[in-house]
Amino acid sequence: MQFDLRERIDNSPMTRYQWGAIAICGLLNVLDGFDVLVMAFTAQSVSQEWDLSGSVVGLLLSAGLFGMAAGSLFLAPWADTIGRRAMILLCLALASTGMLLSAVSQNAIQLGLLRALTGVGIGGILASSNVIASEYASNRWRGLAVSLNSTGYAVGATVGGIIAVVLQNSLGWRTVFLFGGLCTAAIIPVVYARLPESIDFLLVRRPANALDRINAFAVRVGQPRLDDLPTLRATATADAGFAVRVLLSPERRRSTLLVWFAFFMAMFGFYFVTSWTPKLLVEAGMSANQGVTGGVLLNLGGIFGATLLGALSARFALKRVLIAYMATAGLLLVVFVPATASIVIAFGLGALIGVFANGCIAGLYAITPSVYSPSVRATGVGWGIGIGRVGAIASPIVAGALLDRDWSPTQLYILVAASFVLAGLAVSRLRFEKTGTDAGATTAAPLGASRP
């Protein structure tokens, strides 16, 4: 008798095999966190060796973000055609190549191009790994699974900073890139051997040996084997001819634009907070060391923010938790600068802002897969992240321009608070798409749906 494998996965207890796949996705994000911020860790040493101007250093810092945007927008969508796992392997090869060659680059132009190449790989990895983590989790634990995946990014950025300091002080800045490239290359055989392909992709796209691969997974998670592949719905088959226009088709346009707006606003606010907080704390009256400390506390808070959001989503609807996170982030930002009169309160608020600002990004990663059917899911997530990267790139530019117009730190933080609130309003209007087959092969329940 035919049965709904997707529904059984959604409603069954999580197995060690599923958590193992999610752990690999988290490890990928740890490496991504290091690879993305490696330029920030080494910027001073690179600038001194090549005698670079501030504008050139700024371009080097931005090159990775531009690459990530391009990878999310133009490379990640191919995961819906070749598979999420295959895309991750390809992007790991690109990222490791970019990192390793960066270690032997001879000038700023070479390094900038290689940083962009690394960013392209990372953009594809982030979109595909978040989709796999979402698809291999049950309804109850999906929010936690994707949030833990996002936590890996903050862990990689934090631990990477410590490693970078040690390596630079003893062996020079090139060893930091070499270390990151070798670690990224080392995970390729792990992904090849241990990370399974997305079940939703196998059910909808049906590559060679799809039934055997589905049944191999079913056995590993204690589910009955399928006798044959379910009949695809006509809509699912139509989705197979993907183009970006599918995301903007009449039935998806509203949700897609809301996802793009939410990502743009949330990443605009997040990258403002992480980029400008140390400097603006100094302008608000703190010492340089206190400003740096505030920035560190903000990043440390981020490690806990995604995890807390995931834990809350196991009990409450993820959509409501995410809206609450965005509203709270906005409130904290409004009172942050006035609170700098007390260092203790300011540092405490800084850590809390890190908790909620990072949680907003993790929540968007977690909730977006439920907006799209399996056949365009990687495309939808990739474009959401890519549009968000545009906001990330615009954020420091807009902030700098407003500072030149004599905006105060308080005014800037109120502006950013509004961006989080607007992102929350967009999330509140999102609708989730149920997908399936005529035989009920796949039914993706909304993330954070009501539970008994």
Side-chain angles (χ1 to χ4, degrees), residues 170-184:
S170 56
L171 299 171
W173 65 266
R174 295 180 185 275
T175 60
V176 183
F177 286 93
L178 179 62
F179 175 82
L182 291 174
C183 289
T184 304

Side-chain angles (χ1 to χ4, degrees), residues 258 262 319 322-323 326 364 367 422-430:
L258 286 170
K319 181 177 177 179
L322 179 54
I323 293 170
M326 289 175 166
L364 284 174
I367 208 170
L422 289 172
L425 290 174
V427 170
S428 72
R429 305 299 298 171
L430 279 177

Side-chain angles (χ1 to χ4, degrees), residues 1-5 8 203 209-230:
M1 178 182 294
Q2 192 57 268
F3 68 94
D4 192 332
L5 177 60
R8 284 177 178 262
L203 285 167
N209 302 318
L211 182 59
D212 292 338
R213 296 165 73 181
I214 290 168
N215 283 331
F217 169 78
V219 171
R220 295 295 295 269
V221 298
Q223 299 293 343
R225 296 168 61 91
L226 286 172
D227 296 327
D228 50 55
L229 291 172

Side-chain angles (χ1 to χ4, degrees), residues 12-364:
S12 297
M14 292 280 288
T15 65
R16 182 184 298 179
Y17 185 70
Q18 289 167 276
W19 283 118
I22 292 166
I24 292 175
C25 292
L27 181 58
L28 289 171
N29 276 262
V30 171
L31 293 174
D32 287 348
F34 180 88
D35 291 355
V36 168
L37 293 179
V38 66
M39 192 64 237
F41 301 148
T42 59
Q44 184 63 31
S45 298
V46 172
S47 177
Q48 289 177 351
E49 179 172 326
W50 291 338
D51 192 26
L52 302 178
S53 66
S55 60
V56 173
V57 173
L59 288 173
L60 289 176
L61 290 169
S62 299
L65 286 176
F66 279 106
M68 289 177 70
S72 297
L73 292 172
F74 305 115
L75 191 59
W78 285 97
D80 287 324
T81 300
I82 67 173
R84 322 322 188 195
R85 176 176 173 271
M87 178 55 65
I88 289 174
L89 288 169
L90 171 62
C91 290
L92 282 171
L94 291 177
S96 60
T97 298
M99 289 289 287
L100 292 171
L101 291 179
S102 294
V104 295
S105 57
Q106 299 301 305
N107 54 57
I109 293 176
Q110 290 180 9
L111 183 56
L113 292 174
L114 290 168
R115 289 303 301 148
L117 175 64
T118 303
V120 169
I122 292 170
I125 292 170
L126 285 173
S128 299
S129 65
N130 277 285
V131 169
I132 284 186
S134 171
E135 291 177 346
Y136 272 101
S138 65
N139 277 342
R140 180 183 178 94
W141 298 109
R142 188 165 292 137
L144 178 61
V146 181
S147 297
L148 288 175
N149 190 34
S150 301
T151 300
Y153 188 89
V155 171
T158 304
V159 176
I162 298 171
I163 294 173
V165 169
V166 174
L167 289 175
Q168 282 190 98
N169 289 341
S170 56
L171 299 171
W173 65 266
R174 295 180 185 275
T175 60
V176 183
F177 286 93
L178 179 62
F179 175 82
L182 291 174
C183 289
T184 304
I187 196 141
I188 292 177
V190 177
V191 171
Y192 183 83
R194 302 295 297 176
L195 186 65
E197 182 54 270
S198 155
I199 284 295
D200 294 74
F201 172 81
L202 294 175
L203 285 167
V204 173
R205 293 304 177 126
R206 307 189 175 193
N209 302 318
L211 182 59
D212 292 338
R213 296 165 73 181
I214 290 168
N215 283 331
F217 169 78
V219 171
R220 295 295 295 269
V221 298
Q223 299 293 343
R225 296 168 61 91
L226 286 172
D227 296 327
D228 50 55
L229 291 172
T231 303
L232 282 174
R233 291 187 317 159
T235 53
T237 304
D239 286 349
F242 164 72
V244 176
R245 63 178 177 272
V246 176
L247 299 183
L248 296 173
S249 60
E251 64 271 20
R252 293 190 178 95
R253 185 182 301 122
R254 178 180 181 276
S255 293
T256 292
L257 293 177
L258 286 170
V259 166
W260 290 359
F261 183 80
F263 263 107
F264 183 94
M265 285 297 173
M267 286 197 177
F268 180 95
F270 174 77
Y271 277 88
F272 169 87
V273 168
T274 55
S275 300
W276 283 95
T277 291
K279 177 176 175 57
L280 292 179
L281 284 177
V282 173
E283 292 199 8
M286 290 189 175
S287 68
N289 287 338
Q290 289 170 340
V292 172
T293 301
V296 170
L297 288 172
L298 190 148
N299 286 322
L300 288 176
I303 295 177
F304 300 100
T307 305
L308 176 62
L309 178 136
L312 290 172
S313 70
R315 178 65 181 86
F316 305 102
L318 176 57
K319 181 177 177 179
R320 294 179 182 176
V321 175
L322 179 54
I323 293 170
Y325 256 66
M326 289 175 166
T328 303
L331 176 62
L332 291 172
L333 286 165
V334 168
V335 301
F336 181 53
V337 174
T340 55
S342 169
I343 292 177
V344 174
I345 295 176
F347 284 171
L349 285 175
L352 284 175
I353 289 171
V355 168
F356 288 96
N358 278 270
C360 290
I361 305 302
L364 284 174

